């Protein structure tokens, strides 16, 4: 990290709650002290990251990247010289980052270099292939990806201009190298060493300005094979090859001497020392026995002349430490004749970052010690400002070297904080690069001009929540932020309607900068509307906010048994019921993809017999709850309602677990000898305690349907005989005996999926229709046929019985014709209800009342609806 004293960078992993930091603790990186800058990411609901900066403890301001950069990730590279150098991974990048450079406040960022290579470190950290040269401000090296090739570039003006590295003219043996730009150049590995005991692939020192040592190769792109070691003594303008293999190189005595050791897996006993910036090397032995070198460490201190080498003589030997003292190699202290001046330049251009700089360094080959009093004297003088000293946010430099606004940028948008009657600095598209010290020349021409603030109507009004979410909980603070792209902030009225009958108004934007808080007292979806207006126009923004009450429980209401290939209604009951907008996720069986609805009920057809699982998940905001039930699916079955002796109600806590256990007890208490899988007992919620007994067909009964139905009838008869004789009872606890009864008139039909209809039921229904029609005709034409009586009485020698076809047992309900109301009686009752002087009842009314009573009597006993199942029970009815 390259730190500016007084800069604090703060990078939490989440967006803080408006009223505090919430439950999580962010990662904080402290860098420096005094005046602080604070930078952190904010992830919006759409997954896009916004970043903010605080300069010298001022209020946070959102940093401005180019409009369509759409960053996925951001890393701070440098914060020195009152400027932020950042690497941003944009929406279309995976293994590369773009470099951006900021203004002095860290708000406005301009693009410095695209598609810089990145990689993962040993601990999974992101490593950007960017290197800042120590000792000289503004010089950076970067590995850029171009057409799937990695090439090394260098800049001398902090990212304003970049170029490829010129390859050396000769190799280490003095043979000429043919390498023509831009097809061939020098490429360097720029990773700093994560091992503190190696020098890394590139190194430079603050005390040795202009001196760089790096590992790399010559060619069309960066390679990890056929690498060598290269050195530059003039800040990267020219390079020389010093080794054909990989070496670790360290700086001694303020950088005045270089020490090199071969990077190899075989044992070594020599090292090389150079006093002339790598032009010549002297070999020295540091041990008599070859040593497997594990690492080396230069003792702390800039003027150090001592190195410690550690390793082992064999794979099984202990570590060996070798201390090498180079003091004897320095014959004397350097005097003024041992120094020379060096002019920093960029390919011959003496002005770098707006000034000429002259450094003092030791002459190559002077084998003297610099000492403690050494100071790299720097003489600088400003240069006249030229085109290369300027850039600005929102502007792009074209081929004619002119800066014009980007297609997405409106220069007038920068004046929205300016009110009518005031003035602001309007950019000309050219801003002098931060830390650039040029003077005169084009500086006056390109300087921002003071202009009167234009009056503008509101435009680009936006409303959002501070956490970026469109969901909030009932009774909690919801904080809204109102933003406007253009308009006079000081003279624009703001109104915010929360959608629940409450609205607030403000005379300008000042009171709403920190957000507007509101508490919703009820759940639902609310349309929040922001309205901005001044004398020149208005604008509106709308946000739909979901206010939810956290759901605490969901109960899945399903039938215990269902018919295959028939619709089954399933309902999710949520508590509390007023929870707002809920989303329901339904899983059936082994399905991996849910059905999603906004309704709490769903209709589903089960195609597979057996036990089928139904799961529902209910989502309300960030809360997610679920319930699971099982449904037995068959082609046909019978059922019977059960009741119990009253003492069971006293011990009924009415909870699901108790009902499940009681159902198992009842099942065990039934007559033995019936397969366990054919019996299902379901206890209903509530009091008095009741249950439903399901008699299911045998598992392998599909192919022998008729015989299975007969078998099922036999099982039913056995169970009902036992129940009617009070033979089914169980001991709830010592001294508490519970008797199980059959609930009268609730015998369930044999239900199946066949298309045939009951002949007896159809005959009865036709008889009802014909009798009703006859009565209607008699009543309708009684005045025209005086010899016909108004009523008729049917005499029966013997009442005929209508017996259900499910079972011939005595328990089956019986219905006789005498139970029907005679037409005469019905007519008398109808006429008795009329007052004197009213018209007689119409034939339609008479027919409707009589048929209704008739059908009620017939179907009331022939097809009683079983509670909780929605199926008819009693006389056999085939659907």
């Amino acid at each position: 990290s390259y730190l500016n004293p007084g800069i604090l960078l703060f990078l939490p992993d989440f967006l803080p709650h408006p009223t505090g930091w919430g439950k999580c603790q962010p990662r904080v990186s402290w860098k420096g002290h005094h005046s602080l800058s604070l930078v952190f990411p904010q992830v919006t609901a759409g997954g896009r990251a916004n970043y903010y900066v605080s300069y010298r403890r001022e209020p946070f301001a959102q940093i401005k990247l180019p409009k369509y950069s759409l960053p996925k990730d951001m890393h701070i590279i440098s914060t020195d010289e009152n400027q932020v150098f950042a690497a941003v991974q944009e929406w279309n990048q995976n293994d590369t980052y773009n470099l951006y450079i900021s203004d002095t406040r860290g708000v406005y960022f301009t693009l410095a270099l695209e598609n810089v290579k990145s990689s993962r470190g040993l601990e999974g950290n992101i490593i950007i292939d960017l290197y800042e040269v120590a000792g000289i401000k503004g010089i950076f090296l970067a590995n850029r990806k171009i057409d799937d090739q990695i090439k090394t570039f260098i800049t001398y003006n902090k990212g304003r201009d970049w170029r490829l590295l010129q390859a050396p003219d000769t190799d280490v043996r003095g043979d000429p190298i043919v390498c023509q730009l831009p097809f061939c150049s020098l490429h360097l590995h720029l990773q700093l060493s994560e091992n503190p005991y190696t020098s890394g692939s590139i190194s430079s020192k603050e005390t040795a300005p202009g001196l760089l040592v790096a590992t790399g190769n010559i060619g069309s792109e960066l390679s990890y094979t056929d690498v060598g070691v290269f050195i530059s003594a003039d800040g990267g303008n020219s390079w020389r090859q010093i080794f054909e293999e990989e070496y670790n190189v360290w700086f001694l005595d303020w950088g005045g001497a270089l020490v090199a050791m071969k990077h190899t897996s075989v044992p070594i006993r020599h090292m090389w020392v150079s006093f002339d910036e790598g032009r010549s090397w002297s070999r020295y032995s540091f041990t008599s026995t070859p040593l497997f070198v594990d690492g080396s460490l230069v003792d702390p201190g800039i003027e150090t002349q001592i190195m410690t080498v550690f390793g082992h003589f064999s794979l099984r030997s202990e570590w060996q430490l070798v201390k090498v003292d180079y003091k004897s190699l320095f014959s004397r202290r350097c005097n003024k004749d041992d120094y020379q001046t060096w002019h920093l330049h960029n390919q011959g251009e003496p002005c770098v970052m707006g000034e000429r700089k002259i450094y003092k360094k030791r002459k190559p080959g002077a084998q003297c010690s610099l000492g403690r009093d050494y100071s790299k004297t720097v003489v600088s003088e400003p240069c006249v400002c030229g085109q290369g000293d300027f850039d600005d946010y929102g502007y792009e430099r074209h081929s004619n070297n002119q800066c014009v606004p980007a297609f997405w940028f409106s220069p007038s948008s920068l004046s929205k904080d300016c009110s009518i009657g005031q003035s602001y600095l309007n950019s000309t598209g050219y801003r002098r690069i931060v830390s650039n010290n040029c003077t005169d020349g084009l500086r006056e021409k390109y300087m921002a001009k003071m202009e009167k603030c234009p009056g503008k109507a509101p435009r680009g009004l936006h409303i959002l929540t501070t956490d970026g979410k469109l969901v909030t909980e009932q009774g909690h603070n919801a904080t809204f932020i109102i933003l406007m792209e253009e308009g006079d902030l000081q003279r624009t009225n703001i109104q915010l309607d929360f959608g629940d009958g409450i609205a607030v108004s403000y005379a300008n934007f000042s009171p709403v900068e920190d957000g507007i808080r509101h508490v919703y007292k009820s759940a639902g979806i609310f349309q929040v509307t922001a309205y901005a207006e001044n004398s020149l126009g208005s604008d509106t923004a709308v946000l739909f906010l979901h206010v939810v009450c956290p759901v605490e429980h969901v109960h899945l209401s399903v039938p215990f048994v269902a018919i295959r290939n028939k619709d089954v209604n399933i309902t999710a009951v949520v508590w509390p019921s007023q929870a707002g907008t809920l989303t329901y996720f339904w899983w059936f069986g082994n399905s991996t993809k849910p059905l999603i609805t906004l309704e709490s009920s769903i209709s589903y057809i089960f195609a597979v017999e057996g036990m089928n699982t139904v799961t529902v998940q209910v989502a309300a905001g960030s809360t997610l709850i679920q319930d699971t039930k099982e449904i037995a699916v068959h082609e046909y079955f019978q059922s019977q309602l059960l009741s119990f002796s009253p003492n069971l109600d006293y011990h009924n806590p009415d909870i699901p677990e108790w009902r499940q256990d009681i159902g198992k007890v009842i099942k065990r208490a039934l007559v033995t000898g019936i397969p366990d899988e054919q019996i299902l007992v379901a206890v209903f919620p509530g009091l008095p305690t009741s249950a439903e007994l399901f008699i299911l067909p045998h598992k392998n009964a599909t192919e022998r349907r008729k015989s299975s139905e007969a078998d099922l009838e036999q099982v039913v008869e056995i169970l009902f005989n036992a129940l009617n004789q009070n033979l089914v009872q169980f001991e709830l606890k010592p001294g508490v005996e519970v008797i199980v009864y059959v609930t009268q008139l609730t015998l369930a039909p044999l239900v199946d999926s066949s298309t045939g209809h009951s002949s007896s039921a159809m005959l009865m229904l036709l008889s009802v229709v014909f009798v009703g029609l006859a009565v209607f005709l008699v009543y309708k034409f009684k005045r025209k046929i005086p010899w016909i009586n108004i009523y008729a009485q049917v005499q029966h020698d013997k009442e005929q019985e209508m017996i259900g076809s499910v079972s011939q047992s005595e328990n089956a309900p019986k219905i006789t014709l005498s139970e029907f109301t005679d037409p005469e009686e019905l007519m008398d009752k109808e006429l008795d209800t009329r007052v004197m002087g009213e018209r007689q009842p119409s034939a339609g009314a008479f027919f409707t009342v009589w048929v209704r009573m008739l059908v009620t009597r017939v179907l009331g006993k022939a097809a009683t609806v079983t509670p909780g199942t929605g199926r008819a029970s009693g006389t056999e009815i085939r659907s």
Side-chain angles (χ1 to χ4, degrees):
S1 300
Y2 311 100
L3 309 181
N4 176 23
I7 296 294
L8 165 70
L9 290 180
F10 179 35
L11 299 166
D13 289 331
F14 64 96
L15 177 69
H17 189 275
T19 58
W21 291 113
K23 298 180 180 180
C24 303
Q25 295 297 326
R27 292 197 310 250
V28 182
S29 299
W30 293 87
K31 300 182 179 181
H33 48 85
H34 305 304
S35 60
L36 303 180
S37 289
L38 186 65
V39 181
F40 65 91
Q42 172 188 3
V43 180
T44 64
R48 291 173 53 182
N50 295 318
Y51 298 87
Y52 292 78
V53 60
S54 174
Y55 179 73
R56 296 182 181 272
R57 300 182 183 270
E58 294 179 356
F60 286 104
Q62 183 177 351
I63 70 173
K64 300 295 184 180
L65 293 167
K67 186 174 183 179
Y68 297 108
S69 65
L70 307 180
K72 295 189 299 184
D73 189 24
M74 181 176 182
H75 294 273
I76 303 300
I77 304 298
S78 170
T79 59
D80 60 349
E81 296 184 316
N82 298 320
Q83 197 172 28
V84 178
F85 212 160
V88 177
Q89 188 173 59
E90 303 188 9
W91 63 274
N92 57 347
Q93 295 177 310
N94 293 316
D95 57 352
T96 61
Y97 281 71
N98 290 347
L99 297 180
Y100 287 90
I101 195 77
S102 77
D103 61 354
T104 54
R105 306 178 69 86
V107 175
Y108 293 98
F109 283 75
T110 56
L111 181 64
L113 186 64
E114 293 182 300
N115 296 322
V116 176
K117 176 181 175 292
S118 67
S119 59
R120 291 277 181 180
L122 297 177
E123 298 181 357
N125 53 305
I126 297 293
I127 298 177
I128 310 296
D129 266 23
L130 178 72
Y131 181 78
E132 183 175 11
V133 177
I136 304 176
K137 299 299 183 182
I139 301 182
F140 287 84
L141 291 161
N143 282 330
R144 182 185 183 188
K145 187 176 183 179
I146 303 177
D147 297 331
D148 293 329
Q149 291 184 327
I150 305 299
K151 300 175 182 290
T152 302
F153 288 79
I154 189 170
T155 179
Y156 289 86
N157 52 10
K158 213 169 187 179
R160 167 64 177 77
D161 300 291
W162 297 82
R163 63 173 176 82
L164 293 168
L165 295 179
Q166 178 66 56
D169 296 328
T170 59
D171 60 15
V172 68
R173 293 181 297 271
D175 297 329
I177 297 176
V178 180
C179 186
Q180 185 69 34
L181 289 174
F183 310 103
C184 175
S185 60
L186 175 64
H187 309 284
L188 305 177
H189 294 275
L190 304 179
Q191 292 89 359
L192 296 176
S193 175
E194 295 188 68
N195 182 356
Y197 306 114
T198 61
S199 63
S201 59
I202 185 170
S203 59
S204 60
K205 288 293 182 182
E206 184 79 23
T207 56
L211 193 61
L212 289 88
V213 180
T215 301
N217 66 282
I218 300 172
S220 60
E221 64 177 324
L222 182 65
S223 173
Y224 290 90
T225 60
D226 192 25
V227 297
V229 180
F230 299 85
I231 190 170
S232 175
D234 56 2
N237 282 280
S238 61
W239 294 83
R240 289 179 287 105
Q241 186 175 10
I242 56 178
F243 296 109
E244 289 185 315
E245 298 176 280
E246 285 192 69
Y247 277 74
N248 290 313
V249 180
W250 291 271
F251 291 79
L252 295 177
D253 188 39
W254 298 80
L258 300 175
V259 176
M261 186 180 299
K262 190 175 183 178
H263 184 74
T264 179
S265 59
V266 300
I268 58 175
R269 62 189 184 93
H270 296 105
M271 58 176 54
W272 284 258
V273 180
S274 175
F275 289 91
D276 56 1
E277 298 175 343
R279 291 179 175 84
S280 62
W281 295 86
S282 299
R283 190 177 72 170
Y284 295 90
S285 297
F286 64 92
T287 177
S288 58
T289 303
L291 184 72
F292 288 95
V293 177
D294 294 316
S296 302
L297 184 65
V298 176
D299 288 354
I302 298 176
E303 61 173 336
T304 183
Q305 299 168 351
I306 298 176
M307 172 183 287
T308 302
V309 181
F310 57 92
H312 51 278
F313 292 122
S314 67
L315 297 177
R316 296 182 179 181
S317 67
E318 297 180 350
W319 270 18
Q320 306 294 323
L321 296 181
V322 179
K323 180 169 288 189
V324 183
D325 191 341
Y326 296 94
K327 292 180 181 178
S328 61
L329 300 180
F330 298 93
S331 58
R332 55 184 175 81
R333 288 275 184 173
C334 295
N335 54 47
K336 62 180 181 178
D337 296 329
D338 295 316
Y339 296 99
Q340 67 178 13
T341 58
W342 172 67
H343 297 259
L344 174 65
H345 65 93
N346 176 14
Q347 294 294 290
E349 171 57 49
C351 290
V352 177
M353 294 297 288
E355 59 184 349
R356 296 181 178 88
K357 291 183 178 179
I358 303 175
Y359 295 88
K360 183 184 74 170
K361 66 178 183 178
R362 182 169 45 189
K363 292 180 181 179
Q367 198 164 331
C368 60
S369 174
L370 294 176
R372 287 180 176 271
D373 57 349
Y374 168 73
S375 175
K376 55 165 191 175
T377 304
V378 179
V379 178
S380 63
E381 58 180 18
C383 298
V384 176
C385 293
Q387 289 277 359
D389 298 314
F390 296 88
D391 64 4
D392 203 358
Y393 171 79
Y395 289 84
E396 297 175 342
R397 191 176 297 272
H398 286 207
S399 56
N400 59 0
N401 214 22
Q402 296 297 314
C403 292
V404 296
F407 75 95
W408 49 265
F409 180 68
S410 175
S412 60
S413 63
L414 299 177
S415 63
K416 66 179 182 179
D417 294 327
C418 188
S419 184
I420 296 178
Q422 298 177 343
S423 300
Y424 76 104
L425 287 173
N426 187 19
S427 174
T428 61
Y430 298 86
R431 176 194 61 183
R432 191 177 66 167
I433 297 173
V434 177
S435 70
N436 187 296
N437 295 320
C438 71
T439 59
D440 302 329
L442 297 176
R443 182 180 179 182
E444 189 68 27
K445 176 183 178 181
Y446 290 153
M447 185 179 296
K449 303 298 188 292
M450 188 68 69
E451 296 183 7
K452 293 292 184 180
C453 296
K456 286 191 174 185
R459 190 185 69 82
L461 191 67
H462 301 280
I463 179 174
L464 61 153
T465 59
T466 52
D467 58 2
K469 298 179 180 179
L470 299 179
V471 179
T472 188
E473 290 188 10
Q474 175 185 336
H476 287 66
N477 266 325
T479 305
F480 300 95
I481 300 294
I482 301 178
L483 303 175
M484 188 171 63
E485 295 179 5
E486 289 188 9
D488 189 346
L489 297 180
Q490 300 301 319
R491 296 178 180 269
T492 298
N493 299 323
I494 298 297
Q495 180 178 353
L496 183 61
D497 186 343
F498 298 108
D500 60 349
I502 300 177
V504 293
S505 298
Y506 300 94
N508 54 55
F509 265 79
S510 297
V512 304
E513 290 179 350
D514 296 330
I516 303 173
R517 295 183 180 180
H518 182 66
V519 177
Y520 287 89
K521 299 181 179 179
S522 60
I525 303 177
F526 297 89
Q527 177 177 320
V528 184
T529 305
Y531 180 76
E533 181 183 26
N534 61 20
S535 59
L536 299 176
S538 62
D539 196 9
T540 304
V542 175
L543 177 148
F544 291 93
L545 184 70
H546 292 244
V547 179
V548 298
C549 178
V551 290
E552 300 181 13
H553 178 72
V554 58
H555 171 72
L556 191 57
S557 177
V558 298
F560 300 104
V561 184
I563 300 299
R564 188 171 73 92
N565 294 329
K566 294 292 184 180
D567 283 331
V568 178
N569 291 324
I570 302 172
T571 302
V573 182
V574 178
W575 190 89
S577 58
Q578 303 297 326
T581 304
L582 304 177
T583 304
Y584 298 84
F585 302 86
W586 308 87
W587 278 272
F588 296 93
N590 295 324
S591 174
T592 57
K593 294 183 178 180
L595 300 176
I596 303 175
T597 69
L598 295 178
E599 300 295 333
S600 60
S601 297
I602 191 172
S603 180
Y604 189 77
I605 297 177
F606 293 92
V608 180
E609 285 192 85
M611 298 304 295
N612 285 260
T613 302
V614 180
T615 299
V616 64
Q617 287 186 336
V618 183
S622 59
T623 304
L624 190 66
I625 57 177
Q626 81 171 34
D627 190 20
T628 300
K629 291 289 191 301
E630 286 189 338
I631 301 177
V633 179
H634 294 278
E635 288 280 351
Y636 55 92
F637 62 89
Q638 284 200 15
S639 68
Q640 170 64 48
L641 287 182
L642 303 177
S643 57
F644 307 91
S645 52
N647 57 349
L648 182 61
D649 293 343
Y650 179 77
H651 301 280
N652 185 354
D654 198 19
I655 60 175
E657 294 83 357
W658 185 88
R659 291 193 290 270
Q660 291 176 5
D661 291 339
I662 291 297
K664 296 176 182 178
V665 172
I666 298 170
K667 188 174 180 179
R668 290 195 299 266
L670 292 173
V671 178
T672 59
I674 302 174
D676 186 72
E677 66 270 9
Q678 286 191 256
I679 303 298
L680 176 63
V681 178
V683 181
F684 296 121
L687 295 174
T689 308
S690 60
E692 187 168 8
L693 169 63
F694 295 92
I695 303 95
L696 309 177
H698 196 271
K699 286 185 177 181
N700 301 321
T702 304
E703 297 180 357
R704 47 189 186 88
R705 171 66 182 271
K706 292 185 178 180
S707 61
S708 297
E709 293 181 10
D711 295 342
L712 194 63
E713 292 288 352
Q714 186 177 3
V715 173
V716 171
E717 186 172 356
I718 295 173
L719 291 176
F720 286 0
N721 286 335
L723 290 168
N724 288 329
Q725 296 176 26
N726 295 337
L727 297 179
V728 180
Q729 57 185 350
F730 60 89
E731 187 178 43
L732 184 65
K733 57 189 300 186
V736 180
E737 291 288 338
V738 179
I739 303 176
V740 184
Y741 303 101
V742 173
T743 303
Q744 297 300 318
L745 298 178
T746 58
L747 181 61
L750 182 64
V751 184
D752 58 36
S753 59
S754 62
T755 57
H757 298 279
S758 172
S759 59
S760 61
M762 292 297 296
L763 181 60
M764 182 179 295
L765 186 58
L766 290 174
S767 300
V768 170
V769 174
F770 281 119
V771 173
L773 182 60
V775 173
F776 172 75
L777 293 175
V778 169
Y779 178 78
K780 184 69 175 178
F781 300 102
K782 61 179 178 150
R783 296 183 183 275
K784 297 181 181 180
I785 312 176
W787 49 270
I788 296 182
N789 294 327
I790 296 177
Y791 65 91
Q793 184 171 354
V794 181
Q795 299 290 337
H796 296 279
D797 294 336
K798 184 179 180 180
E799 293 181 342
Q800 299 180 2
E801 295 181 352
M802 299 181 64
I803 304 175
S805 60
V806 172
S807 174
Q808 299 300 325
S809 67
E810 296 179 357
N811 295 319
K814 300 180 180 180
I815 306 172
T816 63
L817 289 177
S818 62
E819 294 180 39
F820 293 103
T821 304
D822 290 334
E824 178 186 11
E825 181 184 354
L826 180 62
M827 179 65 69
D828 291 340
K829 290 182 179 180
E830 180 71 11
L831 293 176
D832 289 343
T833 60
R834 306 288 181 175
V835 296
M836 296 301 295
E838 276 192 324
R839 292 183 300 174
Q840 292 186 352
S842 66
F846 173 82
F847 178 74
T848 302
V849 172
W850 191 85
V851 170
R852 183 182 302 162
M853 296 181 64
L854 183 63
V855 172
T856 302
R857 280 301 187 92
V858 173
L859 298 183
K861 293 189 176 183
T864 303
V865 176
T866 302
T869 66
R871 295 183 312 282
S873 62
T875 302
E876 176 181 345
I877 300 178
R878 300 179 183 271
S879 60

